[in-house]
Amino acid sequence: MAEDAQSTEAVDADPIEASLARARTVWGIIAVIILGAIGGGVGLWASQQVAPQPVIGIVRLYGTIDFFSYADYLGPLHIAAERDDVAAVVILVDSGGGLATVSEELFYTVLDLREDKPVVASIEGVSASGAYYATAPANWMVARPAAIVGSIGVRSGFPPESFPDDETLTTGPFKDVGRSTTDFLRDIDSIALAFSTNIYDQRSWVLENMHEESRLDLLPPVEEVATGQVWTAARAFELGLVDEIGSNLDAIERAAELAGVRNYEVIDLFAEFIELDDTDFAGFSTDRPEPTWYEEGPWPQFYYFYGTDEE
Amino acid sequence: MRNSNGMGAAAIGSLGLIAFVVVGLIAFGARTLNFYGLQRYQGPDLARSAIPTVDSLSGSFDPVADLELQDALVLIDTGHNNGFDEQEMDVFLGRLTSNGAQVEFVGGSDLIEGLRGASALVILAPSSDFDQEEIDAIEGFVDKGGRVVVVGEPTRQRSVDGINSLTRAFDIVYRDAYIYSLTNNDSNFRHVIYENFGGNSVITDGLEQVVFQTAYPLAVESEMAIIEGDDSTFISTSELPGGVVAAALAGNGNFLALPDLTFLTSPYNGFADNDQLIDNIVTFALSGERVYDLADFPFFYEGRANLVYQDVVTLNNALADTIDLRNSLSSAGVDVDLVESYSSQQNVLYLATYAQSVDSEAVAQLAADGIQLSTEEIDADEEDESTSNGGSSFGDDDEEEFSPNSIIIRGVAQLQSQGTVIIHLVTPQSGQVEDEAEADAGDEEETSDEEAEEVEVFEDPHQVLILADDEEVLAEGIDILLSGDFSECLTTDFTAVCQVISSDLAGDDDVEEAPEPTPGIGADIGSVLVVADDIVSGDSETINAEGVQSVLDNELGGEALLWFTSSDGLPTVDDLFAFDAVIWSNGTYCCDGITEDHQTVMSEYLDGGGKLVLSGTAIAFETRETDFQSNYLRVEYLDFGELLSIIPQGHPVSENFDDEVFFAGEVGSPDRVLPVGSTDIVFTAGDDSPAPGEAVVTAYADGSQQVVFSTFPIGALDEFDLTTLLDSILTWFSAP
């Protein structure tokens, strides 16, 4: 009897324990799921922090390159450099160039940007002279067959003459005009050589490294590239001055491919730039006073411009 | 018992942590991989390009020329819209003058006239065509050893038509393109370095490299090329490199064609061997072996000449022409001595009738040069035949009362002597040429050949012998010599035999009607003083004044004297009153002319009732706000600017012009003025000018003084318009 009693007590206690055990298991599983979900959320959050949705930034190089327009080009490029989500940049080009110094500024800016993010140039209409110079560091150039490419060279007027008078005094013969005609000829030649050499070196790298098989052999000697001639893009492709015949969409896809990104967003960096309230972003703003000093001095102005009129 | 307790807290914690981490990683990875591939972008590690350096192409030049001082006249053409400024040519002009050359700027008809006395002609960047008369004159000049330097400049000439209108005559064509080289250049593809020099020419002596800054390519026969580009040179309009000719010699080495003007200017003269090339060009220009013929009278004389008259009567009857001869010689810088005897050792201008010159050495000289005066009557049918047989002649005998019936030019013709004048130039070359002509004529004149060889030919003296059968014909001969127009004569290079109508021969019925006096000079205005208000000889004042004087003399048949302020000083009021009218010519430059002294002289002249034409650019500007402008010119200065044409306003001075008048020469930027008081407007600025309708020529008369004021140099009008204008002005001056 005593053994039966003990046995009955034991049977009465087990269901409760079993129930509790089941409850603990269920709650344990729920807890694990919740922790897993939290972990997933944290993972997503962490991913967003370290790997935001990539953006292909569009920069427009349209019109004459000068001190009136340079913020419109350099501002978006600086945004592209600053923002982590901008994975690659596509520069849409339709310009015959303009002031030498601004074109050179763009060249070196693109050169710096390319170290971190791929840059693809898409020639919509014209990419001539300073515009071609500015985008020469691009990892890839896409153009429509009938687009115009080239005009590699410099234009300038001669420095003004100066005649001695009795009303002003200078301490050297070139204090007024800056340099002799002879030196001016050397200077302009030196600038032209810098222009052609920079372009030649950049294009050589692209043709050597960015194509499945090197296309370096296509590139004519530098003196033939620097005649100031323009070519249609179809011909420029044969000469190694552009890399692909295609559209803006091709350029964007190529930029994404070079950056190694998918499911990217395409945004207009110029729109981003002009929406900024900050009037001093990266040193540029939309309401900057017109800096025309360079064009008003007695010094000669150098232009990388395709055409017969700097205007 | 233990199992029945279910999942322990530790287990749950462990599982939860694992789930947290695993799911978190999965979420992180999945999302990231959704956007980014496994490979991240690696920018190229590309060194920045080094900026190439540019080498300077320095030249070497030994500035001095081994040239001995030359006494040569070099003409610079200004009559073909030449694209240069005198100032920028200082290097080249300086090199010419430092080697003893006299430089004169000539335009219009002065070019042809000037070639008679010139050693060289330089034509810089011409844009307008040369007419046939000019081309013929330049070809003749080159044939006579004159040196011509033609310089093109692609950056300044609107087309090559103008330059080619001349050079085609010498088988040289400037191509309408420019030369470039992408590799063999001096800092610019158009500044091509040339190292190929052909021919054995003074032009290329000592040259290793020259640089032309934008040059025309020349189309020439290969043997004419003296400077060529290498295989890297292109012509801008062609795709094929090499074989580009940049300079050529033609005309038996007397005609040089150059492709670029810039290298003659500073600082480009200092590049490579350009300075040496410039020196060579100067040497070329000054070392021609110029041969003179009759048409070059009187420029073959140097220093002094004897005007030999055989008889006082001759001098009296041909007095006016003799004075003209003397003036002509003076204008050529030749001092004249009147003498009665001929000397074969001196420069001579010999005037005589046949009868007066019977014993003359001059006639002996004529005979030596193959011209004989013969008593033989000639048959008209045989007049053109060459013969020397029959009859006696000067040189053969010494007949005192000898009266020749014919003139025999050995190997050329026999002419009747009546009404005939012989004009013959004796030079070393004349003897040589006549001997050549004789050789061509064959062997039939052996006797005369021997005679010619026995006569001494002088090295230096030049002698012009003028012989005629009477004094009137002699005077006609002088006129022909002065005009240089031998078109009505039988000529060789050194001899002209002209038939002129003598009153003795023609009879009263055949006497030419005296020309109707021209309204201007032929009427009340008998003499005009043309003042060239020049700073240096040859500037625009000189050119304009000489143009005016030429029209007065040649077109209006008057007597006009040139006065150069650069050499003659400022004329006095008395000097001005010695003439019936004064034309005071200023040029195209600003601010160097009408000073207070000038204004005073002209004011006093007008106060005394003078008749004055004052013309020139910037006169109104220079004299603005002066009494001279308000009280004598009677205008008010308004502004200055481009002036393309003028429109007549019905004033007597402009009434002979029907329509808009355009300029033939440079006018610079003339003033525009507002007439004051009763001053009349003669011409206004044309419609294409910046201020059409504003006065540019005015006239004022008050009963004694008369003044015509032109704000541009009137010499810039073409010859026809200038003749019309001067004719009208002088008519107005002479009107009551």
Side-chain angles (χ1 to χ4, degrees), chain A residues 10-133:
Chain A
V11 170
D12 291 343
D14 284 339
I16 296 169
E17 284 298 320
S19 175
L20 287 173
R22 280 196 298 271
R24 279 197 292 272
T25 300
V26 169
W27 284 109
I29 290 168
I30 291 171
V32 169
I33 290 170
I34 290 171
L35 282 172
I38 293 171
V42 170
L44 289 173
W45 175 83
S47 170
Q48 263 184 332
Q49 298 309 304
V50 298
Q53 182 183 9
V55 162
I56 306 298
I58 302 295
V59 176
R60 288 185 168 82
L61 184 56
Y62 291 166
T64 302
I65 297 170
D66 56 22
F67 282 121
F68 295 100
S69 60
Y70 81 137
D72 297 345
Y73 313 136
L74 288 168
L77 287 173
H78 279 261
I79 289 176
E82 296 277 327
R83 277 176 48 168
D84 292 335
D85 60 338
V86 177
V89 174
V90 173
I91 304 176
L92 310 182
V93 189
D94 189 15
S95 168
L99 274 180
T101 55
V102 181
S103 301
E104 289 163 343
E105 172 75 13
L106 286 167
F107 170 82
Y108 286 108
T109 300
V110 173
L111 198 61
D112 288 339
L113 181 61
R114 191 188 62 184
E115 290 180 5
D116 297 323
K117 300 173 183 183
V119 178
V120 173
S122 183
I123 303 167
E124 296 186 324
V126 177
S127 178
S129 203
Y132 189 79
Y133 195 179

Side-chain angles (χ1 to χ4, degrees), chain A residues 9 21 47 73 85 101 121 148 150 161 164-165 187-188 205 233 260:
Chain A
E9 285 177 15
S47 170
Y73 313 136
D85 60 338
T101 55
I148 298 297
E161 289 186 57
D165 61 47
D187 285 351
I188 196 170
W205 180 82

